[in-house]
Amino acid sequence: MQVAALPLHPTATYVGKGFPKFGQPREIAHFSRDASRRVRFDKSGLGAYRTPRLPAALDVGFESYVPKSHDPNEPAPLGDVVAALSHKGVRTTDAHILTYRNNLNKIFGTVYNRKDDWEVGVERCADGTVLLHVMDTERKRAEEARRDERQQRMSYWGYKFEQLSTLDGGEDDGGPLPPVNANEEFCSIVQLSIDRTKLFMAAEIDCAATGGGGAPAAGYVELKTSKRHASPRDEETVVAAVAVVVAAAAAAARAIDF
């Protein structure tokens, strides 16, 4: 039985149409995960941004890289988000929908990315709040299983660039750096609205700027690496209330430069 449908029309038909009103995102809770994915309701997983020394070899340390470990049936557990909200005294009943940013990217990007299938787990709680669970499709799981070493290295580049962009003064001495562990992360939970729909949305944040010493203005920072220079427009970052985007172009070899 079909419960709901998302009809799609040619992309051109959406041009010039009324855009929904987005409320300004506001952080209401946060949490960190350590190398063992233990959750802490603090900002211990949030590094401070500092301009990295470039060019830099992004392949260094790949052999000791610790990839993210998670349950394939629940890649991003909402239980941690609910717990963080509860820690801050925020009630889930204050929102119509509770989700990770990943799900909104899938839904909102459908009209522009029609080749990739996606799944979202939908759960309505007794209090009426709708939980949107992140789920991987069979195609996505199969692609992950088939990734060759080069594809794995390209995935590693982003984590390595994050490490280089959050070194403290003691680490940035040219010596060997600790292994990159993708399990360490910081997650911000924001409250926002789309027209009359209120959402609590969780999103992983790369680091934060203090605004001193010529650094970007204080606030959360999103780090991007790409084979070519990224576009300054980044809708998913804006939704997550990130004030600054730092983009680096990765050369076909192993070095990056702005």
Side-chain angles (χ1 to χ4, degrees), residues 6-212:
L6 181 64
L8 294 179
H9 307 288
T11 306
T13 63
Y14 296 97
V15 177
K17 300 294 183 181
F19 195 79
K21 181 180 179 181
F22 274 73
Q24 179 70 30
R26 177 177 63 87
E27 184 177 84
I28 53 176
H30 55 259
F31 64 91
S32 299
R33 288 194 180 99
D34 64 16
S36 299
R37 294 195 66 77
R38 288 187 294 263
V39 173
R40 297 177 180 176
F41 303 120
D42 57 24
K43 292 191 174 185
S44 58
L46 181 65
Y49 174 79
R50 59 193 302 270
T51 304
R53 293 182 179 179
L54 299 176
L58 294 184
D59 269 357
V60 172
F62 174 76
E63 292 73 15
S64 58
Y65 164 56
V66 181
K68 185 174 295 187
S69 173
H70 56 68
D71 182 348
N73 296 317
E74 193 176 21
L78 277 177
D80 296 338
V81 179
V82 174
L85 291 170
S86 178
H87 181 76
K88 284 291 188 179
V90 179
R91 302 175 302 174
T92 58
T93 52
D94 292 337
H96 298 114
I97 296 174
L98 175 63
T99 183
Y100 274 95
R101 177 174 64 181
N102 178 280
N103 283 329
L104 298 187
N105 294 343
K106 294 175 182 176
I107 297 170
F108 292 160
T110 300
V111 67
Y112 303 105
N113 187 17
R114 306 183 184 212
K115 294 182 179 180
D116 291 345
D117 57 339
W118 51 261
E119 294 181 13
V120 172
V122 182
E123 176 186 359
R124 183 182 291 275
C125 300
D127 59 22
T129 303
V130 174
L131 308 183
L132 300 184
H133 297 273
V134 175
M135 299 179 66
D136 288 337
T137 62
E138 288 292 338
R139 174 193 56 79
K140 177 69 172 179
R141 288 191 286 269
E143 286 181 352
E144 289 292 319
R146 292 195 305 266
R147 286 201 309 170
D148 58 24
E149 181 178 326
R150 175 164 177 76
Q151 290 172 317
Q152 294 174 28
R153 286 180 180 272
M154 291 175 67
S155 177
Y156 170 73
W157 290 349
Y159 291 108
K160 184 63 178 180
F161 181 55
E162 181 177 339
Q163 183 188 56
L164 296 175
S165 300
T166 54
L167 298 177
D168 60 35
E171 293 177 309
D172 193 13
D173 58 3
L177 297 174
V180 173
N181 191 321
N183 291 293
E184 299 173 330
E185 60 186 13
F186 172 76
C187 186
S188 172
I189 307 170
V190 300
Q191 173 182 308
L192 69 152
S193 61
I194 304 176
D195 282 340
R196 297 183 180 181
T197 302
K198 297 179 181 179
L199 298 93
F200 288 166
M201 185 194 72
E204 184 179 348
I205 301 296
D206 293 329
C207 56
T210 61

